[in-house]
Amino acid sequence: MVLYKQKKTWDPKGNRILINITVLGSAGPIRFVVNEEELVPSVIETSLKAYAREGRRPVLGSDINDFFLFCPSASSDALNPWETIGSRGARNFILCKKPRREKLEGDGKPSEAVTRKGSGNWKAWINKSLNLKISSQ
């Protein structure tokens, strides 16, 4: 006699929807299924995990507080963190990184390390970062 395992019946706690999230600067949207009652930060976290798992570029990071989620068809404002993903009735969203604030030095001016973009040599960077003196011979 062969025993069959009974399949588990899927018992959703709300409607599940397929959403498309386009990451600003990436090639194409990320698609996954979420519960309509899921909050925006949870959707951002799932998006970032899927983005990283797929090995997409540019690398975004994993801090959900660094991102906004927009619903382009509903309004130009970012979704609030306490909103549910299904509250706008949309299925397409845009994920954008928040603008970085410049760190200020003691005199109130932006620090050079934050505003400068990768020009210079590695010895100067190490000297400045670690306060070491590396001779160039």
Side-chain angles (χ1 to χ4, degrees):
M1 177 190 289
V2 178
L3 297 175
Y4 292 100
K5 291 185 179 180
Q6 187 177 14
K7 289 185 179 180
K8 292 182 180 180
T9 57
W10 187 57
D11 185 25
K13 296 180 181 177
N15 293 334
R16 296 182 61 91
I17 56 174
L18 176 67
I19 60 172
N20 295 323
I21 297 189
T22 302
V23 178
L24 211 57
S26 183
I30 299 169
R31 294 177 180 94
F32 55 92
V33 177
V34 295
N35 189 330
E36 277 186 333
E37 301 302 317
E38 204 163 329
L39 295 177
V40 170
S42 177
V43 172
I44 292 174
E45 181 180 26
T46 304
S47 302
L48 292 174
K49 285 180 181 178
Y51 186 89
R53 189 178 328 114
E54 293 176 10
R56 294 184 179 219
R57 300 278 184 216
V59 176
L60 298 176
S62 61
D63 187 8
I64 62 172
N65 297 319
D66 289 345
F67 296 91
F68 288 122
L69 191 64
F70 290 93
C71 179
S73 62
S75 70
S76 61
D77 295 334
L79 297 171
N80 294 319
W82 57 86
E83 276 188 86
T84 60
I85 199 68
S87 65
R88 303 274 176 115
R91 304 293 182 257
N92 297 316
F93 300 92
I94 298 175
L95 185 67
C96 302
K97 198 161 191 164
K98 290 181 182 177
R100 287 181 36 180
R101 294 185 182 188
E102 292 181 354
K103 293 182 182 179
L104 298 178
E105 291 180 353
D107 59 356
K109 295 180 182 176
S111 67
E112 183 182 338
V114 174
T115 57
R116 208 173 114 213
K117 296 261 184 168
S119 62
N121 64 24
W122 63 273
K123 290 180 186 177
W125 179 82
I126 290 176
N127 283 337
K128 189 171 187 174
S129 299
L130 303 174
N131 291 329
L132 298 175
K133 300 296 178 197
I134 298 177
S135 63
S136 43
Q137 295 177 340

